[in-house]
Amino acid sequence: MKEIRSIKRFYDRICKFLSVKHISWVAFFFFVISLIPICYLSFFNRASGDDYGYGVYTRAAWMGSHSLVEVAKAVGETVRQYYVSWQGTWFSIAVFSLQPEVFQDHGYVLVVFLMLFLWIGSTILLFWQLFKKECGFSRRSVLLVIWVYLLISIQFVPSTKSAIFWFNGCAHYMLPFAMCQIVVWSLIRFVKNYQIRYLTLCSALMLLLGGSSYQPALFSLIVSGYFMLLFFLEHKNKKVFLLLIPVILETIGLVISMKAPGNKVRGGEEFGLSFGRAFGTIGKCFLEGARDAASYLQEKPLVLVGLAVLFLILLEANISTGKKSQKHPLIGMLALLCLYCAMQAPEIYAGVEVSRGVDNTNFLVFLLAALGCLEIMASWIIERMGTEESLLHKKVVIPGLFCCFVLLVFLRSGIKNSTLWVCLEYIGSGQAADYKEQMELQTSILTDEKVKNAVIPFINDEQGPLMSMPATDDPGAWTNFVMSQFYGKDCVIAMPRSEWEEKRKGDGFYD
């Protein structure tokens, strides 16, 4: 009996030590550590491919005048040209044209920090509103949810290039996603007391979302519809229909985007509004959504472990709130499922190959929907259990976290799919340092005003987590062409490094 009591006392001390406060600090520590290699690589990051093409007019305007007015005119000209010739997403194009190397040759270092700030900042803003102010969680519980959620989302996002490092991809997908999270926050704030400032913010963001990628635009429209329906049925207050203002504004922005002549250039003559195709898309969305969700859990099993940890956190967080669960939890979960599956619609409807940024949006909305479903289940379970917090902590949360740790050990090979691992491998292999050296040389050649026909050495197009669209030996290739325009060269051509070194010893670089 003594041994049993001593084991029990030891277990009680462990449970007391593993409080929400201490676990929150541990999660925060691992989250910060996981960002260090990403931030370190920001100093190796450089513009690539489309970054040059969209920045041609703005760079020329800035280098020629250093006037923001002239840059603004150049932004307008860029939007006009691409609207006619390639795509209608006018807001995205405007942002593309302001990539950091337009203003400074080493300005691309800002991309990682800017995108992480938007991603992390919008998540904290939304989650603090949802879990602290609406659900009544303790401050530590909210922070723990935030750190674990961000750790999962950043580490297992399908494409680090389009999520963190490549400005063009980030501006088209991650910036609108961050805007969507702020839209949800502003919607919650507006329906609490119907203050115009939140409606104004929501309207401005949704108007711009109408000119961005279609997934975030669809996300904000669906969520706005949910809010209007839910709060009218619950409170019978017609003021909620003021949300039709941002919905109409976004619809106008979408119509402008969809009517662009350039869409038919990029998507083919059949691109356009078809109600028959739209109807057929709906059923396929649920099938593709299920396939994607299964692939996340199969290819990245640590995501499942992370969701299990979040569920345990939500269970304990709900026990001290005293709030009632949803009246119709299944309806709430179904609504979140429909929101997630709807993100498949633009890709299915278009019927063309899409970038990895689409996969990123699908994954992030999947995580949001999964977290929402877990919260609905946790609050429902706690309301019916009626157990004490200390008892739940000892008998459910701590044993559950231990099981998650065991799973983490068994599934540790999944860490190789994480952003952290990919970045460390890229740094440790020496590729990062080599890439930085090569890009410094390339930039020095391209910014040399004496050089009109720029000849640069080949670089490896496999650059780990970084986006790289290297120049080729064909001066008419897309990357070569936009690089020559961006830097004001007659042409840009690449050649094998050994040949380039021999040529440099002679006098072959200058006409």
Side-chain angles (χ1 to χ4, degrees):
M1 291 296 293
K2 272 187 177 182
E3 292 179 355
I4 294 175
R5 284 196 295 269
S6 62
I7 292 173
K8 185 178 181 298
R9 285 195 297 270
F10 178 69
Y11 180 70
D12 288 342
R13 286 197 296 270
I14 291 177
C15 291
K16 186 177 180 180
F17 176 75
L18 294 176
S19 62
V20 172
K21 177 182 177 180
H22 289 159
I23 297 174
S24 178
W25 275 113
V26 172
F28 177 70
F29 172 78
F30 279 107
F31 173 64
V32 172
I33 291 297
S34 72
L35 294 181
I36 292 175
I38 299 173
C39 293
Y40 177 71
L41 279 182
S42 68
F43 298 97
F44 297 74
N45 202 21
R46 301 302 293 264
S48 182
D50 290 346
D51 287 322
Y52 295 124
Y54 288 103
V56 168
Y57 294 115
T58 44
R59 178 178 171 86
W62 178 253
M63 299 301 290
S65 67
H66 283 75
S67 166
L68 293 179
V69 173
E70 293 302 314
V71 170
K73 291 178 182 178
V75 171
E77 178 60 21
T78 304
V79 173
R80 187 194 67 80
Q81 285 211 8
Y82 278 92
Y83 186 83
V84 172
S85 64
W86 188 240
Q87 66 187 64
T89 49
W90 48 271
F91 174 65
S92 290
I93 296 170
V95 180
F96 294 164
S97 67
L98 297 173
Q99 66 99 344
E101 286 194 12
V102 162
F103 305 98
Q104 216 278 336
D105 291 331
H106 293 84
Y108 219 74
V109 67
L110 296 175
V111 173
V112 171
F113 296 104
L114 177 60
M115 293 307 155
L116 287 177
F117 172 77
L118 291 170
W119 191 348
I120 296 169
S122 63
T123 302
I124 292 174
L125 181 70
L126 176 59
F127 282 26
W128 192 262
Q129 181 67 41
L130 285 173
F131 295 113
K132 182 71 172 72
K133 298 186 177 180
E134 304 304 318
C135 296
F137 288 6
S138 68
R139 185 171 66 91
R140 289 295 179 186
S141 294
V142 177
L143 291 175
L144 182 53
V145 170
I146 289 171
W147 305 139
V148 174
Y149 175 86
L150 283 172
L151 192 61
I152 299 169
S153 59
I154 294 175
Q155 289 305 314
F156 295 103
V157 69
S159 172
T160 54
K161 291 177 171 66
S162 294
I164 302 172
F165 293 103
W166 186 36
F167 183 83
N168 196 279
C170 294
H172 199 43
Y173 296 102
M174 289 308 302
L175 172 59
F177 178 77
M179 291 166 65
C180 281
Q181 296 201 124
I182 299 172
V183 163
V184 178
W185 172 81
S186 64
L187 288 170
I188 298 171
R189 299 294 297 175
F190 175 70
V191 297
K192 291 177 75 71
N193 47 27
Y194 300 102
Q195 292 184 6
I196 296 301
R197 58 181 173 175
Y198 297 115
L199 181 65
T200 303
L201 174 62
C202 184
S203 299
L205 290 174
M206 288 182 67
L207 173 62
L208 297 176
L209 284 170
S212 68
S213 55
Y214 294 129
Q215 287 173 294
L218 185 59
F219 179 98
S220 57
L221 286 176
I222 293 173
V223 172
S224 298
Y226 282 172
F227 268 80
M228 283 189 282
L229 179 62
L230 176 64
F231 282 88
F232 179 72
L233 292 176
E234 187 171 342
H235 302 288
K236 307 298 181 183
N237 191 333
K238 293 182 180 179
K239 285 185 178 180
V240 75
F241 290 112
L242 287 171
L243 291 177
L244 285 172
I245 295 173
V247 168
I248 292 170
L249 288 172
E250 181 176 317
T251 303
I252 292 171
L254 271 171
V255 170
I256 294 172
S257 176
M258 291 177 174
K259 289 292 185 180
N263 289 334
K264 290 188 180 295
V265 177
R266 184 171 188 174
E269 287 298 321
E270 294 184 0
F271 184 90
L273 184 60
S274 168
F275 290 103
R277 190 191 300 177
F279 185 77
T281 296
I282 296 173
K284 294 179 182 178
C285 285
F286 291 94
L287 179 61
E288 291 302 318
R291 287 176 177 172
D292 271 2
S295 69
Y296 300 146
L297 303 180
Q298 181 180 358
E299 297 171 10
K300 301 179 179 183
L302 293 184
V303 171
L304 182 60
V305 177
L307 291 175
V309 171
L310 282 171
F311 181 65
L312 294 170
I313 297 168
L314 293 171
L315 278 175
E316 185 163 2
N318 272 282
I319 203 169
S320 60
T321 62
K323 70 178 182 67
K324 292 184 178 181
S325 62
Q326 286 192 11
K327 294 180 182 179
H328 306 288
L330 290 179
I331 294 177
M333 294 171 69
L334 180 61
L336 290 169
L337 173 64
C338 290
L339 175 64
Y340 158 64
C341 290
M343 295 302 100
Q344 304 284 339
E347 178 182 356
I348 295 171
Y349 181 85
V352 296
E353 187 177 350
V354 295
S355 74
R356 294 301 305 280
V358 172
D359 298 330
N360 288 346
T361 304
N362 289 343
F363 176 72
L364 294 173
V365 177
F366 164 77
L367 287 183
L368 282 178
L371 183 62
C373 290
L374 292 177
E375 166 54 18
I376 292 171
M377 288 190 292
S379 62
W380 185 85
I381 291 170
I382 292 301
E383 185 179 20
R384 280 147 186 80
M385 279 180 57
T387 186
E388 295 180 2
E389 185 175 356
S390 59
L391 196 62
L392 180 77
H393 186 73
K394 291 180 181 179
K395 293 193 173 183
V396 178
V397 176
I398 296 303
L401 289 176
F402 176 75
C403 291
C404 289
F405 178 76
V406 172
L407 281 174
L408 180 64
V409 173
F410 277 105
L411 300 173
R412 62 187 181 276
S413 61
I415 296 176
K416 293 183 179 180
N417 294 322
S418 67
T419 302
L420 174 65
W421 183 277
V422 172
C423 290
L424 287 175
E425 191 173 48
Y426 183 58
I427 295 168
S429 66
Q431 279 186 291
D434 184 56
Y435 176 71
K436 184 177 182 179
E437 181 182 342
Q438 292 181 65
M439 291 305 294
E440 290 290 346
L441 174 60
Q442 178 175 294
T443 302
S444 68
I445 296 170
L446 293 172
T447 55
D448 189 340
E449 295 182 358
K450 296 183 296 182
V451 177
K452 294 303 179 184
N453 297 303
V455 181
I456 57 178
F458 281 139
I459 63 169
N460 184 3
D461 61 353
E462 293 295 332
Q463 293 299 337
L466 305 184
M467 172 58 81
S468 177
M469 297 183 188
T472 70
D473 56 3
D474 178 10
W478 167 250
T479 300
N480 297 56
F481 175 69
V482 293
M483 286 176 72
S484 64
Q485 285 194 312
F486 187 83
Y487 287 104
K489 305 302 178 186
D490 292 338
C491 75
V492 172
I493 189 170
M495 62 172 55
R497 180 166 292 271
S498 58
E499 292 182 24
W500 185 88
E501 290 287 355
E502 291 181 9
K503 191 175 180 65
R504 184 174 63 168
K505 295 176 183 178
D507 192 29
F509 284 148
Y510 302 98
D511 294 335

